[in-house]
Amino acid sequence: MKRVSHHGRGISYRRSARTDDGPGLLCVHGSGGNAGVWNSQSRLSDRTPVTAMDLSDHGESGSLTAQAGYETLSGYADDVVAVAEETGDRVLCGNSLGGAVAMLVALDRDLDLDGLVLTGTGARLPVLDDLLVWLESDFDRAVEFLHGPDRLFHDPDEELVEISEAAMRETGQDVTARDFRSCHSFDVRDRLDEIDVPTLAIVGEHDKLTPPHYHEALAASIPDCELATIDDAAHLAMLEQPAAFNNALESFLDRL
């Protein structure tokens, strides 16, 4: 993986580029995850360069000292800006927490963007009270809950679940809990009309964590936003149905 440094920490990213054409796609993972969630999106790198990054304290990136909430989200936004400035990518693709970070960048950072892709996310990201407790006191139960039916996945194979669980455990309890608490505090519902770039909201039809109506609200409130639904998928549609997800991405990129 490549690495860029900012604010005293190194941020790791993986870049696939079989062409230099197009705006470049920078993919940002969700809570407790890492860049590996976007492995299948590298198939689009003959259309435009594709970058998948590790946020601070995830994967191979350096550490961020921050309280849960805006301080953490702002630090993650700085990570995204640093990688985008290094790679020149002009489309942000964020899942869940990563979608919140992408919206924060679009709203509050001076970064020239051509588009946003928001998947498994929302303008507000409340977390179940019980899950917040389990993340602090019973991490195994939290991981098991998140991998229950129609949460992260709709109908995954056993290997996919094992990979996902291992990534969350590698990130660790403290960081994963901080991620979810940061999501819980996120709310930009009254600012969506300030997003001034073409946007695609993608949702897995069975997603119970960030259900379809979250994405319908994005499409209704962001001035230039399309909605795409991925059949037979839940929260991590890019992993569960990569071909359909990539088709939606490619169609969006073709319209930019």
Side-chain angles (χ1 to χ4, degrees), residues 40-41 43 230 236-248:
S40 293
Q41 281 56 65
R43 301 171 191 171
I230 306 299
L236 298 180
M238 76 292 290
L239 277 175
E240 197 167 16
Q241 298 294 341
F245 189 92
N246 285 357
N247 285 341

Side-chain angles (χ1 to χ4, degrees), residues 29-33 55-58 68-69 72-73 76 97 125 127 132 135 171-185:
H29 62 78
S31 297
L55 294 170
S56 292
D57 289 309
H58 301 75
T72 290
L73 293 172
Y76 291 162
L97 167 76
L125 294 171
V127 179
L132 290 174
L135 284 163
T171 299
Q173 181 172 357
D174 290 346
V175 173
T176 302
R178 185 183 71 183
D179 285 351
F180 275 94
R181 290 199 172 276
S182 298
C183 285
H184 192 59
S185 73

Side-chain angles (χ1 to χ4, degrees), residues 196-211:
D196 60 359
V197 295
T199 302
L200 174 65
I202 309 182
V203 60
E205 67 166 328
H206 299 288
D207 187 352
K208 289 182 177 178
L209 295 178
T210 54

Side-chain angles (χ1 to χ4, degrees), residues 14-42:
R14 181 180 296 110
R15 186 165 173 81
S16 300
R18 294 192 288 270
T19 180
D20 292 326
D21 294 339
L25 184 70
L26 174 55
C27 300
V28 189
H29 62 78
S31 297
N34 60 42
V37 74
W38 303 106
N39 283 349
S40 293
Q41 281 56 65
S42 64

Side-chain angles (χ1 to χ4, degrees), residues 6 9 53 55 64 70-83 100-102 104-106 108-109 111:
H6 75 99
R9 61 185 183 272
M53 63 177 289
L55 294 170
L64 167 69
Y70 181 79
E71 188 176 351
T72 290
L73 293 172
S74 182
Y76 291 162
D78 290 340
D79 295 343
V80 171
V81 171
V83 176
V101 173
L104 190 62
V105 170
D108 291 342
R109 296 295 190 273
L111 183 67

